[in-house]
């Protein structure tokens, strides 16, 4: 059983989802472009995964944004 969702993971997931949907991408297409599994992208968007730095770079590249834009969010 998973523990509680960390606010930082939740905030990052919301940021990722916002950038993805603003570009009209599905989780599947983003995952393919980032060479990640679709279920992993879904887990990250829901804040269920603590994402690795390498995967942050892969997602930023697949979204066509600088890494700094991907991690530009506030934690409540």
């Amino acid at each position: 059983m998973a523990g509680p969702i960390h606010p930082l993971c939740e905030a990052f997931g919301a940021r990722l989802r916002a950038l993805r949907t603003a570009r009209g991408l599905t989780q599947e297409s983003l995952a393919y472009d980032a060479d990640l599994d679709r279920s992993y992208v879904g887990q990250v968007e829901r804040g269920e995964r603590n994402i690795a730095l390498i995967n942050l770079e892969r997602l930023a590249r697949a979204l066509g944004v600088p890494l700094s834009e991907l991690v530009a969010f506030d934690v409540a």
Side-chain angles (χ1 to χ4, degrees), residues 18-47:
L19 290 170
R20 176 182 60 77
T21 58
R23 285 158 179 73
L25 298 172
T26 63
Q27 286 181 349
E28 185 175 12
S29 64
L30 176 60
Y32 179 82
D33 291 344
D35 196 28
L36 297 169
D37 190 83
R38 190 223 41 91
S39 64
Y40 177 78
V41 171
Q43 291 169 338
V44 171
E45 286 189 357
R46 291 188 300 276

Side-chain angles (χ1 to χ4, degrees), residues 38-58:
R38 190 223 41 91
S39 64
Y40 177 78
V41 171
Q43 291 169 338
V44 171
E45 286 189 357
R46 291 188 300 276
E48 297 171 355
R49 298 294 296 255
N50 186 1
I51 188 167
L53 189 57
I54 292 168
N55 292 337
L56 284 173
E57 189 278 330
R58 287 177 175 174

